[in-house]
Amino acid sequence: MQEQLWKSIVLVRDKSPLVQSITNYVVMNSTANALLAVGASPIMAHAHEEMKDMVSIVGALVINMGTLDDYWVKSMHLAIAQANALHIPWVLDPVGAGATPYRNEVLEGLLQLRPTIIRGNASEILALASKHTTPTKGVDSTHRSTEAVDAALTLNQHFGSVVCISGATDIIVNKDSMVKLSNGHPMMARVTGMGCTATALTGAFVAVHPGDPMKATVAAMALMGVAGELAVRRSTGPGSLQVNFLDSLYTIRETEFAERLKVSA
Amino acid sequence: MQEQLWKSIVLVRDKSPLVQSITNYVVMNSTANALLAVGASPIMAHAHEEMKDMVSIVGALVINMGTLDDYWVKSMHLAIAQANALHIPWVLDPVGAGATPYRNEVLEGLLQLRPTIIRGNASEILALASKHTTPTKGVDSTHRSTEAVDAALTLNQHFGSVVCISGATDIIVNKDSMVKLSNGHPMMARVTGMGCTATALTGAFVAVHPGDPMKATVAAMALMGVAGELAVRRSTGPGSLQVNFLDSLYTIRETEFAERLKVSA
Amino acid sequence: MQEQLWKSIVLVRDKSPLVQSITNYVVMNSTANALLAVGASPIMAHAHEEMKDMVSIVGALVINMGTLDDYWVKSMHLAIAQANALHIPWVLDPVGAGATPYRNEVLEGLLQLRPTIIRGNASEILALASKHTTPTKGVDSTHRSTEAVDAALTLNQHFGSVVCISGATDIIVNKDSMVKLSNGHPMMARVTGMGCTATALTGAFVAVHPGDPMKATVAAMALMGVAGELAVRRSTGPGSLQVNFLDSLYTIRETEFAERLKVSA
């Protein structure tokens, strides 16, 4: 499997796909840099007047809820409508799902548009699925990973999305398959927007694998985890980690990737 | 006193308080990273529809004027109203106070809501207080630190806020006490948003000391100054300083802190 | 010539000009840091209510289209009107020119206000000029640098602007002169917003040379290229390059600058 994943990494470098992100203010710089570091070309636009035209020229669309407001939610809907019309894959990052009723309501509207891929942490995936699960299971009950897997399966069943639950172990769920990745390092959680970066990279990978969102998600998450591990070895704290992580995305070689990858299907 | 301050630093690491920031676009990434580096959990949301709900779940609120506009000012008012209703402490950073009449007018409105803590540089504190001082003293006269202390006392008297004047020497003023800190380094002024970061960290500390905003402010400013000094020693310019500063916030040990702290009450 | 350019670099450090930027969310932090690193003082405000007042106190205005929407376009017009009224120089960065009809329409409106300086890559300069060239030459035909030079001359002729086409070779065009700079490194294109940074620095330099936008642009681009080369030597990838570039802007000495500068008039 690692050879297949490495081929995807090379494919992103070779094809340099355009990725349009409607994302949050906090991570715009860091996710644009991550996209550039893996060889992709980021676009970040949100004006209603140009959403349709901008989405028409890209290979994938990334929708991130972080600092949403009504204007940006409208931008998201305009962009997704065009992506769906042109069969351009799009990735949803449900940042802060469950934190407020407004956020949940907006997310429910986006789910109905059937994201190609959803990537969130266990709490977010549980919150997303809570409306679509049986009432005896609540978000607040527990947040064990097995429960998030059920939630991911529910989301896949209802909306057809590949769902990635990221954490110490990343679990990627599709209708008939599940992949687990055990790379990464706890210090990554002390750098803002690492989850958002994972989502952005997933956009780059699905742009070069528009017909195989499962493969794209696994490749993006594998690269995140291994590049993160390599970067932590050279870092003294989260400041240097943010910098070294971008360097690792740019310099990573097949041998390093193969040696460290911990994947199970 | 240094032992008390170190205990506060440990308390932030242990409690990992949620801090909601309505702040400027320039510093969102760097202040989120600083909050994560000290062990806090940043939230940055501004949609009117979710302000009340979001503020209800946090330990402190940070209001930063940097890139204000009418929508964001409304977000600030909604957030502060809920913070005040729930007795959640909030910190005001009057970025650019005095630069334009619009900014002054907005600030006057925010002052009336009685910030728990105000942190600004001498010019900003002088501008903030100018409307509330006798007409013979104008902002434009001089900007000596003694005059900023009077302004800080005026603000404390009118609005009950702990006021921090940051600079080569940081002066923190309360009704019946004043603390001076002489840490830091001039190169820190060449990194954008270091003042905003000080304000954000003050938010994290007041979240774990909701009843003692004076202690919280002194602890936050002491950590800023000492971590900044430690970072400058390993930096060749403001680029590496921004990175090393985050590392220092994350790795700083009690002995380093105690050795370098220059505090006088 | 290199002595003249170095004098400009020293002048920015000595005068510390205020530069107001209406720029995109992605690069606000990095361009503010670049302005601080060369010794300038960045302001980033956009509220309609304070545009006129804010522009009145600065030495130059930077207008960057990156993440435009209607509110920000209005901010740009208000700011430019005041800059033009007070003869304050302003620099236009036509990010993504040609990507969408909306973007082109907004740019056409900004061109009519006669920017002091325009800085873009070859594709953007070609797109900008396309409406003002004879119909037989289209944007989509080719993107050779000679064609971008014609486009730059057209823009200069119609709007009086100094035009900088940045790329492997930067070409700066005025009515009766042309300067080429061959510094820089391909890895710089893997750091987001390096072009935006070039535009921001051009703002700092034209603030200290308000009567000579050609000299200001050449000095800013020369500094960008040489500082970039110096930074690449110490970098392992785009993450460390972004950091080292800021350090180089701050630490660069005359001998380093003179040794590496590749300029031809």
Side-chain angles (χ1 to χ4, degrees), chain A residues 17-262:
Chain A
L18 273 175
V19 179
Q20 151 73 359
S21 297
I22 301 181
T23 188
N24 71 73
Y25 301 122
V26 184
V27 305
M28 285 188 183
N29 188 270
S30 51
T31 59
N33 272 326
L35 285 166
L36 284 167
V38 299
S41 290
I43 295 179
M44 294 187 183
H46 64 284
H48 297 170
E49 295 86 344
E50 65 178 355
M51 275 303 90
K52 194 174 172 181
D53 297 314
M54 205 59 106
V55 172
S56 303
I57 61 173
V58 300
L61 171 66
V62 172
I63 300 292
N64 178 304
M65 301 273 297
T67 55
L68 84 172
D69 64 32
D70 270 2
Y71 187 94
W72 288 70
V73 171
K74 181 82 185 294
S75 305
M76 293 173 190
H77 277 269
L78 290 167
I80 295 166
Q82 183 70 351
N84 282 348
L86 301 180
H87 304 290
I88 293 168
W90 65 283
V91 190
L92 174 65
D93 190 328
V95 179
T100 70
Y102 173 63
R103 209 160 274 255
N104 291 346
E105 185 191 312
V106 170
L107 276 168
E108 185 59 30
L110 295 176
L111 281 179
Q112 300 300 331
L113 304 173
R114 304 179 66 85
T116 314
I117 302 166
I118 301 169
R119 191 221 56 87
N121 61 37
S123 298
E124 290 162 347
I125 297 301
L126 283 162
L128 262 194
S130 62
K131 195 181 163 181
H132 304 276
T133 50
T134 53
T136 53
K137 284 188 184 177
V139 170
D140 299 335
S141 52
T142 80
H143 285 201
R144 283 173 299 153
S145 57
T146 49
E147 216 173 335
V149 171
D150 285 347
L153 287 167
T154 301
L155 291 168
N156 173 266
Q157 194 182 331
H158 279 68
F159 306 109
S161 315
V162 169
V163 180
C164 172
I165 314 154
S166 59
T169 298
D170 301 319
I171 306 177
I172 300 118
V173 170
N174 203 354
K175 192 168 46 181
D176 45 15
S177 61
M178 189 185 305
V179 172
K180 296 185 182 184
L181 293 160
S182 305
N183 291 101
H185 188 280
M187 203 202 283
M188 294 171 77
R190 291 283 132 195
V191 177
T192 192
M194 272 292 179
C196 305
T197 297
T199 305
L201 295 190
T202 303
F205 280 82
V206 77
V208 300
H209 292 302
D212 195 344
M214 182 74 186
K215 181 196 254 188
T217 308
V218 174
M221 298 308 293
L223 176 58
M224 278 295 299
V226 177
E229 283 181 18
L230 292 169
V232 165
R233 289 193 307 168
R234 287 175 290 123
S235 302
T236 54
S240 44
L241 176 53
Q242 186 174 32
V243 171
N244 292 330
F245 176 69
L246 292 172
D247 283 1
S248 290
L249 289 178
Y250 183 79
T251 59
I252 191 170
R253 294 187 313 273
E254 187 171 6
T255 48
E256 295 172 307
F257 181 73
E259 276 168 25
R260 291 188 160 265
L261 184 69
K262 294 180 196 153

Side-chain angles (χ1 to χ4, degrees), chain C residues 125-144:
Chain C
I125 298 300
L126 284 162
L128 262 194
S130 62
K131 195 180 163 182
H132 304 277
T133 50
T134 53
T136 51
K137 285 186 181 178
V139 171
D140 298 334
S141 50
T142 79
H143 284 203
R144 284 172 299 152

